[in-house]
Structure formats: structure tokens, C-alpha cells
């Protein structure tokens, strides 16, 4: 008897009956909604209020009394950023001791046009997050590259909403599959760093709907994303973190978002309006806000008036007591957070800690391979005259490696997305390793990276480089940016390469006509000063820890390049939009961003959106569309045959653009509506199938405030880039 009573007491204390836990929130067999409701019911007012603010830099509040864990966050999106982790310093800027796999930056992943690869990347990032004790990753970034000078273009997937959406959806789905919370960011219209903390972006509804929001919408509607991060800026007059139109109307009511919104770090400006607009967790926590206030004051373009800690318990309590924040509103926020804690498995994993991953699985050989594969597929061969590439060891015996990025792997862009990998492979080492015994490799710096320590006078460095180039069979100049020159908190100042690099390329090209340029950048650069003088140009982005291997893979032809530009390279900033240094910016161009702008104004870009060469050739044939006269609700199936007509295996990204022949509003000359990457052996052909649904055809009609697909003809443009259309077809949409 005594034994039975003891057992029963123990079971009750543990909240367990014979058939599992008796407290519904602990029972994994119950529906998430019921569990969340049960847990919500058990919380004190203080516990609820605490859930609405962070605890330190990278954590939410847990509910210690009930053993509910905190949400432990880590920056993404291109790998786990390790500050504020156990064993790692808790303050930004301090040296890091914990490592994670550094993948190529977002724009590089965009250049792969390979959502499956993005999914594999996100899976690894999620697994590493769990190993490092994190359960929320602050990524993907899906903001659109409106201006080539945005310091953070490298984090996103480029200028096109469809491409960005596909990548974002792939990332989110894969990460959630691992039980880690992705955070699609930054919601919304965060497209420049200049005054990013205070700027008011005025953008018309059509541009919002067609350009800036589709990737967020896809994240919610298609991937069912668990968390969204609001941005720093104001959108049409209201701070993004307290914007009822964006958060409650569009995100929740219209798209059906069921997760929670976190504020960007130090981007809140009020208590009542923030909570009432539907922003759920203020980050970071109130205890670290004072430090951030100073930070905000001190960096150019920061927010000197910033306060913060608005959702701290006592401030919320006062408004709760006064009725400005209702119980219903508070409960809704808490419910949203709890729901994701259940749906992601965070609570269950904490209830059964033995099931949590214990073996450190960071930097495994498989992860390294994936980082290399991602970089391989991201590199874009921009120009290849005289088939200068791939390097032929039979013809090329001596190679001069020149430039500030040869002996330095520019892993990523600057700011919160920086990952600290175990190692980082330099281009020069990748090339030396591959050329060993076949080619003689020599090196000259040529020019110091702007902002880095000068080792010799510029003229001396230049002379060394040109002398070396002149006596070599071939020269490769590694130029571009550093993380200090391209990153968060500042926009790039111009389209040009950093100081001295244009001159370096020109001088080397003059000394050796076999000069190849390899660029590291997170955004377009001005190539016009030298592109005509060099036969080969390669865009390698910020390629992650395996950069050096991947660049060698491409230069030697071990991997056939297949990357395609996710952004237009303008010939001049006069052809594009620059960040604006003003308290208020109006996006006057509306929907005409990126190639939509270049097409409308009939401007020749230096390199077009979607451009990217291969060491083989592809032929397009037999475009068929069925039905050719769809009715509303029907899809059009597109078939096209692609053949590898060259002598090497390779991959082609087949791109499908639509043009609405006649419309009641002005529409872009073409818009990307489908793409597929196909791998083909020499001589092999494949029939590529894609479907175009009503959403491919519609536009946002500001008059009726809704999307409309108007009956009439649509041109279907199929090609290898937005300016290399190989086949055209047409269908007519009927009522
Ligand atoms: C960035 C976010 C980042 C956060 C936390 C902010 O400055 O805008 O993208 O996730 O810091 O590091």
C-alpha cells in the first residue's frame, strides 16, 4: 500500500499517469493547439509578460517554474554565428572560440538557382544549431536587392521576388524539418543600410505586393514559417516593429501567419503600439538594452534617440493594468510563442533530454563537402573569350596569382551574418594544391585591400605584379571586397572595386593578355573600366570556408560553372538606384526594380540578370504549352527540350519569363516565373517541365486592392538569361 501511494505521488508530481503525462501540455500525443492552451492557462501574469521580451542577447525567457525552455537564438543565415554561446564570449566584437560551417553567402546561394541545395545547406545549419544548443536561426534574409550598393545585398537572394521566394521556401522547409525555428527577415522593405535604423520608406502598395513582400508571403503560405523578424525602418510612416498594417493585417489576417514576430535587435520604439500591432518578442532583452543605446548613438546612421526595453515586464504590466494592452492581446502573443515551442519540438526535446543530439556534429567531412558544392554551384562565369578557361596545364605552365584576395579567402560579408569557421581555404592554396607538379604558381599582392595594412608602397606592389604577369603564361587577378568594406551598417559607396584594384587589373592586363579576373563581392561591381581588356571574368561572391577549393574547381574545369546572376550588373550607377541619405525615401520606381527597370528603360546592362556561362553549350528546342488557352484556375504546362551540345558535362538553368501582352496597368517587359537547373552529359538532352498557374499571370491591381489576372495573351520567353531568350511561345488566358 505504502509503495502504491508513493508511486502514485511520484507519478502525480511528475505529471504522469499510466498512459503518459496527465498534464496535457506535456503529452506529445495531444494536438499542439490543446497543449499550448493548457500551458497558457497555467502561466502567471508575470510569466506571460516575460515571454514578450528577450533574456540577454540571443535568448528568450523560458518559464523556469515549469521547466519550459527558453528559445535560444543564433544568427544565420549562412551558417551559425557563434557569439553569445556557451563557451563563446557573450558580447559582439569579442574573439570567438566556437566554430560552425561557413556556407557561401545568400546571394551566392541565389546564384545556384538550386533550391534543393539551399535546403541541404539549411538542414546542416539547423543540425549545427542544435549541436550548439540553439533552436532558432535568424535567417533567411529575403529582402530584395533594390540598389547594388546595399551593404547587405550579400545576405539575400538577389533582385527577383520569384527566385528569392523559391530559395526562402526551400531554406525554411528544410530547417523546420530539423525542428529548428527559422526567422524570415527583415519584414519589410529593408533595402539599404544608410539610416536603416530611422528611415521611413514610402512604397506604393503594388510595389510592396509584387516586389518586396512575395518572398515573405511564400514563407508564410507555402513554408508555414514559424518566425518572422520585423525590420528597423519605418514603412509608410509606421515603424516596422509596430506596424499594424504589416503585422496584423497582411502577415496574420491576409496570409494566415501562425508563428511569432521578433523585433530586429533594438528596433522597438514603444510598448502599447508595439504589442497591439502584433509584435511578439522584443529582442534583445531589457538588461542588455542600455549597452545598445550607446551603440545606437555612436554609429553613423544609428538612432541617437533610441531607448529600448519597451516590452520589459513592468512596462507591460502598467499598460496591462490600465487596459491599453488587453488580456486577449497578451494571450494571443503568448499563445503564438507557445505554439511554436510545441510545434518545433523544443518542449518535447527538453522533456526528454536524452533524445537531444549529444555528439558534436560541426565541421564534419560531409558538411565541408556541402560547403564546397554550394560554392562550386554559386560561382558565375561572366566572360570567357578565346576559351581562356578552364586552365589547360598542357598550354599554361606558369601562372601569376595577383591581388589582395588571392592569399585571403573572403568568407562572408560583414556584420551579424559573419560565421567563424574552423578553417578557411584561400584561393591561392586551392590553386597550388590543384596545380601541383603541373604548373608553376607564383604570387604578388599587387594592391593592398582598401582599409588593410599597407606592406609596401602602392607603386612598388603594382610593379611587382606587372613584372610577374609579364613573365607568366597567364595571370589571375583576385579582386573585390572585404567584410569590412561590404557588410551590415554601411552601404557601399560606389559600384567601383575598392581603391587601386581597377588600376591593378588594367596594368596586369596590359602586361599579359591572358588575364583572368576573379571577383569577391556580395553585389554587382563596375566592370566597365577593364572588362574589354581581359578574356576571362569570374564572380566568386563571398564563397564561405571552401572558397579556395571551389574557385580552383571552376578555374581548372573540375566543376563546370553553372551559376547565374541573381542580380543585374549595371554599367553605371546612373542606370540604377543608389541608397538615399534622407529621413524619408520614396521608391518612385514602383515595381520596376532590377531587370524590370533595365527592360523598361531599355538599358544595356554590363551583365544581365540570369547570365552565366558554361564550358559547354546548350541548345533549346520544342517549346510546347498546354493548354494554349487556359481558363482561370487552370495551369499551363510548359515543356522544353534542352540539349548539351558541347563536349563536357554541365548544368544549365532554364529560365521562364512571362510578358502580359496587353494589360490595364503597365507591366514589366518580362518577369521570371519559373526556372529549373538541369545536369546534362555531353550529347544528352532532357525535357524540362514547368507549370505556370494563375499566380504566374496576375498583378496587384491598386484600384481594386487585389490581385488580378486579366484575360488575353501572354508571351512565354524561355532562355539562358533574361537577355538571352532562346524560344518564345504564347498562350491566351480566358475568363
Ligand atoms: C540584424 C539582424 C540580426 C540581429 C541579431 C541586427 O542588427 O539586422 O539581421 O539577426 O542584428 O544579430
Amino acid at each position: 500500500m505504502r509503495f502504491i501511494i508513493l508511486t502514485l505521488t511520484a507519478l502525480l508530481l511528475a505529471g504522469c499517469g499510466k498512459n503518459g503525462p496527465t498534464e496535457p501540455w506535456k503529452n506529445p500525443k495531444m494536438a499542439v493547439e490543446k497543449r499550448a492552451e493548457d500551458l497558457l492557462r497555467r502561466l502567471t501574469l508575470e510569466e506571460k509578460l516575460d515571454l514578450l521580451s528577450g533574456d540577454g542577447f540571443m535568448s528568450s525567457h523560458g518559464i523556469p517554474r515549469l521547466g519550459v525552455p527558453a528559445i535560444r537564438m543564433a544568427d544565420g543565415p549562412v551558417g551559425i554565428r557563434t557569439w553569445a554561446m556557451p563557451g563563446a564570449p557573450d558580447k559582439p566584437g569579442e574573439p570567438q572560440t566556437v566554430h560552425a560551417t561557413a556556407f557561401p553567402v545568400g546571394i551566392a546561394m541565389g546564384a545556384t538557382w538550386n533550391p534543393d541545395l539551399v535546403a541541404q545547406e539549411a538542414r546542416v545549419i539547423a543540425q549545427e544549431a542544435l549541436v550548439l544548443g540553439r533552436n532558432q536561426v535568424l535567417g533567411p534574409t529575403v529582402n530584395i536587392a533594390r540598389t547594388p550598393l546595399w551593404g547587405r545585398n550579400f545576405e539575400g537572394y538577389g533582385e527577383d521576388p520569384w527566385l528569392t521566394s523559391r530559395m526562402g521556401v526551400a531554406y525554411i522547409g528544410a530547417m523546420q524539418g530539423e525542428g529548428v525555428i527559422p526567422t524570415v527577415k527583415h519584414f519589410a522593405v529593408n533595402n539599404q543600410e544608410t539610416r536603416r535604423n530611422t528611415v521611413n520608406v514610402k512604397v506604393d502598395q503594388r510595389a510592396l505586393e509584387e516586389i518586396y513582400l512575395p518572398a515573405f508571403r511564400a514563407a508564410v503560405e507555402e513554408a508555414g514559417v514559424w518566425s518572422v523578424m520585423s525590420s528597423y525602418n519605418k514603412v509608410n510612416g509606421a515603424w516596422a516593429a509596430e506596424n499594424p498594417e504589416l503585422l496584423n493585417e497582411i502577415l496574420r489576417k491576409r496570409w494566415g501567419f501562425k508563428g511569432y514576430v521578433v523585433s530586429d535587435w533594438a528596433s522597438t520604439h514603444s510598448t502599447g503600439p508595439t504589442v497591439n500591432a502584433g509584435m511578439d518578442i522584443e529582442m534583445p532583452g531589457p538588461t542588455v538594452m542600455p549597452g545598445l543605446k550607446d551603440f545606437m548613438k555612436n554609429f553613423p546612421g544609428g538612432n541617437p534617440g533610441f531607448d529600448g526595453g519597451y516590452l520589459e515586464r513592468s512596462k507591460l504590466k502598467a499598460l496591462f493594468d490600465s487596459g491599453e494592452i488587453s488580456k486577449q492581446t497578451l494571450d494571443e502573443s503568448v499563445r503564438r510563442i507557445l505554439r511554436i515551442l510545441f510545434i518545433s519540438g523544443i518542449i518535447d526535446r527538453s522533456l526528454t533530454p536524452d533524445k537531444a543530439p549529444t555528439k558534436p556534429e560541426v565541421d564534419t567531412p560531409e558538411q565541408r563537402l556541402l560547403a564546397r558544392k554550394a560554392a562550386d554551384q554559386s560561382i558565375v562565369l561572366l566572360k570567357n573569350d578565346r576559351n581562356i578557361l578552364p586552365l589547360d596545364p598542357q598550354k599554361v605552365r606558369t601562372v601569376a596569382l595577383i591581388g589582395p584576395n588571392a592569399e585571403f579567402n573572403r568568407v562572408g560579408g560583414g556584420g551579424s551574418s559573419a560565421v567563424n569557421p574552423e578553417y578557411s581555404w584561400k584561393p591561392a592554396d586551392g590553386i597550388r594544391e590543384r596545380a601541383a607538379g603541373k604548373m608553376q604558381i607564383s604570387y604578388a599582392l599587387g594592391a593592398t585591400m582598401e582599409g588593410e595594412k599597407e606592406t609596401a608602397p602602392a607603386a612598388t606592389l603594382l610593379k611587382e605584379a606587372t613584372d610577374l604577369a609579364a613573365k607568366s603564361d597567364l595571370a589571375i587577378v583576385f579582386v573585390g571586397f572585404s567584410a569590412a568594406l561590404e557588410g551590415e551598417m554601411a552601404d557601399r559607396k560606389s559600384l567601383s572595386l575598392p581603391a587601386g584594384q581597377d588600376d591593378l587589373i588594367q596594368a596586369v592586363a596590359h602586361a599579359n593578355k591572358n588575364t583572368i579576373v576573379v571577383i569577391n563581392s556580395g553585389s554587382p561591381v563596375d566592370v566597365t573600366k577593364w572588362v574589354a581588356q581581359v578574356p576571362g571574368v569570374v564572380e566568386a561572391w563571398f564563397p564561405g570556408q571552401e572558397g579556395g577549393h571551389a574557385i580552383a574547381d571552376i578555374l581548372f574545369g573540375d566543376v563546370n560553372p553553372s551559376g547565374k546572376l541573381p542580380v543585374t550588373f549595371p554599367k553605371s550607377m546612373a542606370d540604377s538606384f543608389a541608397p538615399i541619405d534622407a529621413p524619408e525615401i520614396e521608391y518612385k520606381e514602383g515595381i520596376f526594380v532590377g531587370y524590370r527597370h533595365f527592360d523598361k528603360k531599355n538599358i544595356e546592362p554590363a551583365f544581365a540578370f540570369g547570365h552565366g556561362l558554361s564550358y559547354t553549350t546548350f541548345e533549346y528546342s520544342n517549346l510546347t504549352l498546354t493548354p494554349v488557352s487556359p481558363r482561370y484556375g487552370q495551369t499551363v504546362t510548359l515543356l522544353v527540350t534542352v540539349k548539351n551540345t558541347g563536349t563536357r558535362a554541365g548544368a544549365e538553368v532554364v529560365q521562364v519569363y512571362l510578358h502580359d501582352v496587353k494589360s490595364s496597368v503597365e507591366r514589366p517587359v518580362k518577369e521570371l516565373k519559373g526556372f529549373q537547373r538541369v545536369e546534362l552529359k555531353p550529347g544528352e538532352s532532357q525535357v524540362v517541365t514547368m507549370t505556370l498557374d494563375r499566380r504566374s499571370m496576375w498583378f496587384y491591381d491598386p484600384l481594386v486592392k487585389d490581385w488580378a489576372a486579366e484575360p488575353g495573351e501572354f508571351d512565354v520567353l524561355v532562355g539562358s538569361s533574361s537577355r538571352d531568350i532562346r524560344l518564345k511561345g504564347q498562350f491566351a488566358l480566358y475568363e
Side-chain angles (χ1 to χ4, degrees):
M1 184 65 183
R2 206 167 141 240
F3 172 74
I4 293 172
I5 289 172
L6 275 177
T7 314
L8 270 179
T9 316
L11 279 174
L12 280 174
L13 281 175
C16 284
K18 199 168 123 236
N19 300 316
T22 50
E23 295 173 33
W25 72 274
K26 288 187 177 169
N27 187 347
K29 293 201 181 106
M30 285 190 72
V32 159
E33 268 69 22
K34 286 211 172 113
R35 298 179 74 189
E37 221 41 57
D38 178 58
L39 183 52
L40 177 76
R41 208 170 39 81
R42 292 167 195 270
L43 301 187
T44 65
L45 176 61
E46 285 69 25
E47 283 166 341
K48 288 183 190 173
L49 297 174
D50 279 351
L51 283 178
L52 270 51
S53 67
D55 183 11
F57 271 112
M58 281 285 157
S59 180
S60 75
H61 279 103
I63 309 160
R65 180 178 61 90
L66 298 174
V68 174
I71 303 167
R72 316 257 297 148
M73 307 172 190
D75 259 309
V78 303
I80 298 297
R81 181 196 188 200
T82 44
W83 66 258
M85 291 204 166
D90 209 36
K91 293 206 176 63
E94 286 183 10
Q96 300 191 5
T97 47
V98 182
H99 302 281
T101 304
F103 286 94
V105 293
I107 199 152
M109 295 308 294
T112 70
W113 297 58
N114 188 347
D116 291 342
L117 189 63
V118 170
Q120 291 173 43
E121 174 213 12
R123 211 165 284 133
V124 167
I125 295 174
Q127 288 161 357
E128 292 193 357
L130 291 177
V131 170
L132 294 166
R134 303 282 129 171
N135 40 38
Q136 174 160 3
V137 171
L138 306 175
T141 301
V142 299
N143 296 111
I144 294 294
R146 172 179 178 266
T147 157
L149 302 186
W150 183 30
R152 266 184 121 168
N153 270 339
F154 73 89
E155 271 187 55
Y157 298 115
E159 70 190 25
D160 182 75
W162 175 256
L163 176 60
T164 303
S165 303
R166 294 310 92 208
M167 298 315 211
V169 165
Y171 188 110
I172 292 162
M175 187 162 279
Q176 292 184 173
E178 298 297 315
V180 172
I181 305 168
T183 318
V184 67
K185 68 187 189 183
H186 310 80
F187 192 60
V189 287
N190 179 180
N191 312 102
Q192 65 174 51
E193 293 303 277
T194 306
R195 299 194 192 226
R196 74 162 183 189
N197 293 83
T198 52
V199 71
N200 177 28
V201 181
K202 285 175 74 181
V203 52
D204 66 67
Q205 196 63 24
R206 185 169 172 210
L208 257 184
E209 304 276 351
E210 290 190 26
I211 304 293
Y212 298 103
L213 297 187
F216 289 100
R217 179 174 184 177
V220 173
E221 291 186 343
E222 292 179 50
V225 71
W226 292 339
S227 182
V228 172
M229 185 191 290
S230 57
S231 58
Y232 283 114
N233 50 291
K234 288 182 181 168
V235 183
N236 292 328
W239 294 109
E242 56 180 67
N243 196 310
E245 175 65 20
L246 279 179
L247 302 180
N248 272 338
E249 279 307 313
I250 296 184
L251 193 59
R252 296 222 165 79
K253 283 208 194 113
R254 197 126 70 71
W255 300 344
F257 176 59
K258 284 196 171 150
Y260 58 85
V261 178
V262 294
S263 72
D264 200 342
W265 269 232
S267 71
T268 48
H269 300 271
S270 66
T271 306
T274 298
V275 176
N276 288 327
M279 212 291 298
D280 302 305
I281 306 180
E282 181 192 36
M283 289 303 294
T287 53
V288 296
M289 281 293 186
L292 278 178
K293 279 185 212 170
D294 287 344
F295 177 72
M296 282 288 176
K297 268 191 204 104
N298 294 332
F299 86 86
N303 184 3
F306 177 76
D307 199 357
Y310 289 103
L311 303 202
E312 184 263 327
R313 185 204 279 189
S314 65
K315 289 186 189 150
L316 288 170
K317 174 86 169 40
L319 295 199
F320 184 81
D321 290 343
S322 75
E324 188 176 330
I325 296 173
S326 69
K327 177 167 184 301
Q328 191 193 344
T329 301
L330 174 66
D331 281 357
E332 271 168 15
S333 270
V334 173
R335 198 176 279 122
R336 291 194 281 256
I337 299 165
L338 297 181
R339 196 176 160 273
I340 300 304
L341 277 166
F342 284 111
I343 223 165
S344 61
I346 291 174
I347 288 191
D348 292 334
R349 289 199 295 269
S350 80
L351 292 173
T352 49
D354 50 319
K355 290 205 182 129
T358 47
K359 195 159 64 69
E361 285 184 87
V362 171
D363 198 45
T364 62
E366 293 75 24
Q367 292 163 349
R368 290 181 178 193
L369 262 184
L370 186 63
R372 180 169 180 168
K373 184 173 164 192
D376 281 340
Q377 291 192 17
S378 78
I379 293 174
V380 183
L381 179 61
L382 293 173
K383 179 175 178 181
N384 194 22
D385 281 5
R386 296 191 268 120
N387 289 333
I388 188 87
L389 287 171
L391 299 176
D392 181 353
Q394 300 301 318
K395 292 192 202 138
V396 178
R397 302 287 175 177
T398 53
V399 176
L401 307 182
I402 293 168
N405 288 355
E407 287 284 9
F408 200 117
N409 181 29
R410 305 287 173 185
V411 181
S416 60
S417 70
V419 181
N420 186 29
E422 188 73 37
Y423 67 92
S424 163
W425 207 262
K426 302 187 282 187
D429 284 348
I431 290 167
R432 281 191 202 105
E433 183 186 61
R434 180 59 175 76
K438 297 186 202 84
M439 290 172 176
Q440 193 194 315
I441 306 293
S442 40
Y443 164 75
L445 176 60
T448 310
M449 174 62 79
E450 192 181 320
E452 291 177 4
K453 201 171 154 284
E454 225 161 77
T455 49
T460 314
L461 293 176
L462 194 63
K463 171 124 189 8
E464 278 169 14
T466 49
D467 286 352
L468 184 65
K471 63 178 192 205
S472 305
D473 293 339
L474 181 138
I476 312 176
V477 192
F478 294 87
V479 293
F481 291 81
S482 65
L485 294 177
E486 190 164 356
E488 199 174 329
M489 301 212 301
D491 289 318
R492 266 180 29 196
K493 293 192 183 54
S494 83
L495 206 55
S496 301
L497 288 168
Q501 297 187 9
D502 285 330
D503 292 344
L504 175 66
I505 298 170
Q506 282 170 303
V508 172
H510 188 70
N512 189 327
K513 64 179 178 27
N514 297 326
T515 291
I516 293 156
V517 175
V518 178
I519 308 167
N520 287 126
S521 70
S523 205
V525 299
D526 179 1
V527 299
T528 57
K529 295 187 189 91
W530 42 262
V531 70
Q533 297 160 46
V534 296
V537 185
V538 171
E539 172 59 81
W541 313 109
F542 296 127
Q545 68 186 44
E546 280 287 333
H549 278 136
I551 288 169
D553 287 341
I554 296 292
L555 294 179
F556 284 88
D558 300 333
V559 170
N560 193 346
S562 61
K564 301 272 190 179
L565 292 181
V567 277
T568 306
F569 273 44
K571 285 186 174 164
S572 141
M573 272 314 289
D575 294 342
S576 191
F577 313 106
I580 298 168
D581 190 4
E584 187 165 283
I585 320 173
E586 192 174 352
Y587 288 3
K588 292 204 181 101
E589 72 284 357
I591 60 165
F592 295 98
V593 174
Y595 63 89
R596 289 164 170 81
H597 163 74
F598 283 77
D599 283 351
K600 175 182 151 112
K601 302 273 181 187
N602 210 2
I603 303 167
E604 191 64 39
F607 293 111
F609 174 83
H611 170 73
L613 303 172
S614 165
Y615 297 148
T616 188
T617 45
F618 299 98
E619 190 184 271
Y620 288 61
S621 63
N622 296 335
L623 171 64
T624 61
L625 301 164
T626 39
V628 280
S629 306
R631 309 213 159 252
Y632 281 127
Q634 278 185 318
T635 57
V636 176
T637 303
L638 175 154
L639 301 181
V640 64
T641 305
V642 187
K643 184 174 183 192
N644 181 345
T645 48
T647 53
R648 283 170 181 267
E652 169 71 326
V653 177
V654 178
Q655 301 163 39
V656 175
Y657 298 85
L658 275 194
H659 166 66
D660 190 351
V661 176
K662 203 162 147 253
S663 151
S664 61
V665 299
E666 188 185 8
R667 298 195 67 180
V669 174
K670 65 173 98 67
E671 294 188 274
L672 182 75
K673 295 297 172 183
F675 61 87
Q676 214 174 99
R677 186 178 183 279
V678 273
E679 295 187 2
L680 296 170
K681 297 193 191 78
E684 192 187 357
S685 52
Q686 193 179 316
V687 178
V688 173
T689 312
M690 282 182 242
T691 49
L692 300 165
D693 61 10
R694 205 176 137 228
R695 285 187 174 209
S696 317
M697 303 158 209
W698 70 12
F699 62 94
Y700 186 82
D701 188 344
L703 281 182
V704 293
K705 293 195 169 50
D706 203 356
W707 292 82
E710 289 177 342
E713 268 120 39
F714 286 82
D715 291 332
V716 182
L717 315 169
V718 181
S720 183
S721 95
S722 65
R723 292 280 172 117
D724 182 8
I725 300 302
R726 305 287 181 85
L727 297 169
K728 284 188 189 170
Q730 205 179 56
F731 66 83
L733 178 69
Y734 285 122
E735 294 281 2

